[in-house]
Amino acid sequence: MRQYDNIRSEIPENIDKKKAHIIGGGIAGLANAVFLIDDGYMSGKNITIYEKLPVVGGSMDAADADHNFGYTCRGERELEPNMECLWYLCSKIESVDSPGMTILEETVAANKHDLIDSKTRILWKQGKTYPKTHSFKMSAALSARLGELIQTPEEIIEDVTIDEFFGDLKDEWYASTTWICFHTMLAFKNYHSVIEMKRYLLRFIQHMPGIDHLQGILHTKYNEYDSIIKPVKKWLEDKGVNIITDFSVYDLNMDSNNNEVLAIKAHDKDGKDVTIDLDTANEFVVLTSGSMTTNSTYGDNTTVAITNRDTADRGVFTIWENLAKKDAKFGKPEKFISDVDKTKWMSACITIKGYPEFYDRIYKMTKNKPDTQTGAISIQDSNWDISMCFYPKYFADQKDDENVFWFDTLYGENNGDYIKKPSSECTGEEMVTELLYHLGVLDMKDDLLAHSYISTCMMPYITSQFMPRKISDRPSVVPEGCTNLALIGQYVELPGDVVFTVETSVRTAMMGAYDLLGLTRPVLPIYEAQYDTRILVASLKKMLDTDEIKLSDLPKINPLKIASQSQELLKTINNTPTLDINDAQY
């Protein structure tokens, strides 16, 4: 973080009269409240957070399943050092589990103690290490196509899928180790937006040199709910923030120009209609305009998690849909949430009690040290496209004789290789059986299932933010003309940054807070690793599988094309963003 991180903004005019209505109690809404208070001088008593669910935390959930033993967790988050806004947030909040330390300090300590260094990133053939795990070579044609993607302006590839962009080279691309590592970590499918894929390649190119060992991927001390959400919630409550749960907002009344929010329309916990009228001069609304875990359903050992296809009530998506009907500047939510079969997948969280033999075998198989984070491990020849993570201790109250791990089925619409049906039709025991088959440990099935609680989850919109789109299909954080409304979360346009990250939620929360209050303190800049020559060289060496680049590794120069290639080089140089000296200094 830069020098100005500790420099306060000027106090906004009439800040004591300002009131904030934050719709959505996920990490974006919670972070927005923190920034309003700590950076914007607002009183916590003037901030209200409305959450439809009984608990806050949104997609960053993890909890006791209220059984004799067992936990639930819908997702696994991958964090990294250059999530500037997230770590800035975490530097403000005291940890719940490590008194005297901030969340940031606790996280740094957790990673010093147990830094992820995956020994086996990819498995296949029932528990064997995939032989091409560390080989990233690709043909000259595919390398050129990737280079073309990096150079192509986003406006030219609007609504284009990954399949369509790679075209005749798509089979080679999908067989490459780069794609295997890339898409299983990030949940990309071949029909997703190539714009989003391009952004990811650029945003996280610094991880390319160590991607096969997951070097640079960080973790919190426990799951992110225990380690981030709980302490942030406590901090806000201590500041007097009013958090209302079981409160379902469904629409915003706007003025005739759709620039001012006049009122909030909602149903309270008893289902009664509620209208909250706003003083537009002093009150504003911050809306998380979509949630990737909307309409999630759960199953267990013997119960299938049904797919919720209801479109009448989609939580904050419904608010976004209603706004979009009023004005085109609010984007097109239908581009993201109209095809559940392309945006859904399933996950499973397994708690094993009193059966350490399974973990012993897994750690021996993957060559990771016992009681360490394995990071993501993917199964290359799985029809369901399974990826999994094993943790030494994932919950703060987890017992010594309990092990918790998590896996997902990215292409669960396919029939399994052993369980011959889609994962969406499977009980928890069937999903785990398919996993055990791919690990080559079916001999442990009966004992493992007897000692396990399995929480499965179907998420209809979990990768909806990756669907093909135009740039204009996502609204700005503060849509044009709006004076008391900001949109935050995964479904707003954030030039130069990606979706499906905690950082996106926190960054948009910061942007919304700073803009609505007119703070003089700048939003933290995005880390742009693609302009660091050291990272580019290290990535090139990785792709060439060499420690030293030789002349023979470079593309041959056609004398007849020197002039045109020189022009391309100049175009690349001149398209590099101009460095703002003031920004670099302060």
Side-chain angles (χ1 to χ4, degrees):
M1 293 186 287
R2 303 191 183 193
Q3 296 177 39
Y4 58 57
D5 295 343
N6 295 317
I7 298 175
R8 301 299 304 271
S9 168
E10 298 172 15
I11 300 176
E13 187 177 355
N14 296 321
I15 190 62
D16 57 319
K17 297 180 181 179
K18 301 294 183 183
K19 292 185 178 181
H21 301 267
I22 301 172
I23 302 170
I27 185 61
L30 299 178
N32 180 261
V34 172
F35 295 137
L36 290 172
I37 295 169
D38 206 55
D39 292 349
Y41 303 90
M42 276 192 76
S43 167
K45 295 178 181 179
N46 289 346
I47 299 173
T48 302
I49 298 174
Y50 307 97
E51 171 55 49
K52 180 182 179 182
L53 298 176
V55 294
V56 298
S59 300
M60 292 177 68
D61 68 319
D64 189 311
D66 197 25
H67 289 69
N68 291 330
F69 73 93
Y71 296 95
T72 63
C73 181
R74 288 182 289 191
E76 214 282 335
R77 295 103 197 156
E78 287 168 324
L79 310 176
E80 59 98 36
N82 299 295
M83 293 181 165
E84 302 289 348
C85 297
L86 170 63
W87 301 128
Y88 174 70
L89 170 71
C90 291
S91 73
K92 296 174 176 290
I93 311 295
E94 185 174 356
S95 162
V96 169
D97 293 294
S98 304
M101 301 179 76
T102 64
I103 302 173
L104 175 61
E105 291 166 336
E106 178 188 76
T107 302
V108 169
N111 284 276
K112 283 185 176 180
H113 173 71
D114 178 17
L115 190 63
I116 294 176
D117 183 12
S118 177
K119 304 303 181 185
T120 305
R121 174 67 184 83
I122 310 171
L123 294 170
W124 77 333
K125 294 187 176 179
Q126 297 183 283
K128 294 182 175 61
T129 300
Y130 183 58
K132 292 175 59 180
T133 297
H134 306 293
S135 175
F136 288 80
K137 279 190 173 182
M138 58 183 67
S139 70
L142 184 55
S143 296
R145 189 68 56 86
L146 273 176
E148 179 187 343
L149 175 60
I150 299 304
Q151 295 292 326
T152 301
E154 290 185 353
E155 293 77 10
I156 295 177
I157 48 177
E158 289 186 321
D159 282 326
V160 175
T161 67
I162 299 169
D163 247 357
E164 290 168 338
F165 183 85
F166 283 93
D168 58 320
L169 296 174
K170 65 182 181 181
D171 290 342
E172 182 187 351
W173 171 236
Y174 297 139
S176 71
T177 305
T178 301
W179 170 255
I180 295 169
C181 289
F182 180 88
H183 95 277
T184 53
M185 287 174 65
L186 307 170
F188 273 104
K189 293 188 174 185
N190 57 0
Y191 47 74
H192 282 151
S193 166
V194 79
I195 289 178
E196 305 301 341
M197 195 190 93
K198 173 186 174 178
R199 288 192 181 188
Y200 263 94
L201 288 171
L202 293 174
R203 181 69 167 83
F204 298 120
I205 192 173
Q206 66 270 24
H207 294 288
M208 185 63 204
I211 192 172
D212 47 335
H213 292 284
L214 295 174
Q215 293 168 347
I217 300 300
L218 305 178
H219 61 88
T220 48
K221 183 177 181 179
Y222 302 120
N223 64 79
E224 293 88 357
Y225 182 86
D226 281 345
S227 292
I228 297 179
I229 298 298
K230 282 173 64 175
V232 171
K233 178 176 180 285
K234 180 180 183 303
W235 188 93
L236 292 172
E237 289 173 335
D238 290 346
K239 296 291 184 181
V241 173
N242 184 25
I243 299 175
I244 303 176
T245 56
D246 295 303
F247 192 88
S248 180
V249 177
Y250 63 87
D251 200 4
L252 303 176
N253 286 352
M254 306 293 294
D255 71 348
S256 59
N257 295 317
N258 294 306
N259 289 333
E260 284 187 337
V261 182
L262 305 178
I264 297 170
K265 307 289 288 184
H267 301 300
D268 66 14
K269 65 179 180 180
D270 298 318
K272 296 180 180 177
D273 289 334
V274 177
T275 298
I276 303 170
D277 294 315
L278 304 187
D279 168 9
T280 57
N282 293 303
E283 295 185 71
F284 56 81
V285 172
V286 180
L287 167 66
T288 300
S289 55
S291 170
M292 66 185 77
T293 51
T294 290
N295 287 352
S296 295
T297 56
Y298 293 90
D300 57 26
N301 293 51
T302 57
T303 306
V304 176
I306 63 169
T307 302
N308 185 344
R309 298 178 182 274
D310 174 47
T311 59
D313 181 6
R314 293 193 274 194
V316 286
F317 278 135
T318 296
I319 310 173
W320 184 20
E321 288 180 289
N322 287 333
L323 281 175
K325 291 174 185 175
K326 304 179 201 297
D327 200 302
K329 68 184 176 185
F330 296 119
K332 294 183 177 180
E334 67 272 14
K335 294 292 285 286
F336 305 93
I337 59 174
S338 295
D339 194 342
V340 164
D341 289 314
K342 286 191 173 182
T343 59
K344 67 178 173 64
W345 47 258
M346 287 192 71
S347 67
C349 178
I350 297 87
T351 307
I352 309 166
K353 188 175 183 67
Y355 188 63
E357 291 84 352
F358 178 70
Y359 253 49
D360 291 344
R361 199 152 161 186
I362 289 299
Y363 276 86
K364 184 177 180 180
M365 179 190 304
T366 61
K367 305 177 182 64
N368 286 284
K369 290 182 180 180
D371 298 321
T372 62
Q373 302 271 344
T374 65
I377 301 170
S378 302
I379 300 175
Q380 166 60 6
D381 54 353
S382 163
N383 271 352
W384 285 355
D385 209 343
I386 293 173
S387 292
M388 55 200 150
C389 293
F390 296 87
Y391 318 99
K393 187 172 183 179
Y394 200 51
F395 290 85
D397 61 352
Q398 189 175 322
K399 304 297 189 297
D400 289 342
D401 67 340
E402 293 177 340
N403 298 123
V404 176
F405 73 99
W406 178 94
F407 74 94
D408 69 74
T409 60
L410 187 57
Y411 279 96
E413 61 268 27
N414 298 333
N415 286 333
D417 298 278
Y418 185 79
I419 302 294
K420 303 292 185 179
K421 55 183 177 180
S423 64
S424 58
E425 299 176 10
C426 289
T427 64
E429 291 189 353
E430 289 173 324
M431 288 182 67
V432 170
T433 298
E434 176 75 7
L435 173 66
L436 298 181
Y437 164 77
H438 282 290
L439 295 173
V441 294
L442 274 175
D443 57 298
M444 307 183 84
K445 179 174 77 75
D446 292 341
D447 287 336
L448 177 65
L449 294 180
H451 288 82
S452 297
Y453 170 71
I454 307 164
S455 171
T456 65
C457 184
M458 167 56 76
M459 296 167 282
Y461 304 102
I462 189 62
T463 51
S464 54
Q465 65 277 14
F466 284 164
M467 292 300 283
R469 65 178 180 92
K470 289 183 168 60
I471 305 300
S472 59
D473 291 337
R474 292 201 304 232
S476 300
V477 172
V478 176
E480 184 177 0
C482 288
T483 57
N484 70 338
L485 173 65
L487 307 179
I488 61 176
Q490 304 295 317
Y491 297 87
V492 295
E493 184 53 32
L494 193 55
D497 213 347
V498 298
V499 289
F500 210 6
T501 68
V502 182
E503 171 70 1
T504 302
S505 293
V506 179
R507 177 171 292 278
T508 56
M510 179 182 283
M511 293 168 67
Y514 287 16
D515 196 300
L516 289 174
L517 291 182
L519 299 188
T520 55
R521 186 186 185 283
V523 172
L524 293 171
I526 296 169
Y527 177 59
E528 297 178 301
Q530 69 268 33
Y531 302 117
D532 188 325
T533 305
R534 297 166 299 178
I535 290 172
L536 296 177
V537 170
S539 299
L540 180 58
K541 289 179 177 179
K542 186 74 170 183
M543 302 287 280
L544 294 172
D545 193 21
T546 184
D547 294 325
E548 181 181 356
I549 298 174
K550 304 177 182 62
L551 186 61
S552 59
D553 293 322
L554 301 178
K556 289 182 171 53
I557 298 175
N558 184 340
L560 300 177
K561 294 185 178 181
I562 288 178
S564 62
Q565 290 174 344
S566 297
Q567 289 300 316
E568 286 296 317
L569 178 59
L570 281 174
K571 181 180 177 182
T572 299
I573 293 172
N574 289 320
N575 281 340
T576 300
T578 301
L579 177 65
D580 186 327
I581 300 301
N582 290 324
D583 180 59
Q585 204 168 19
Y586 298 107

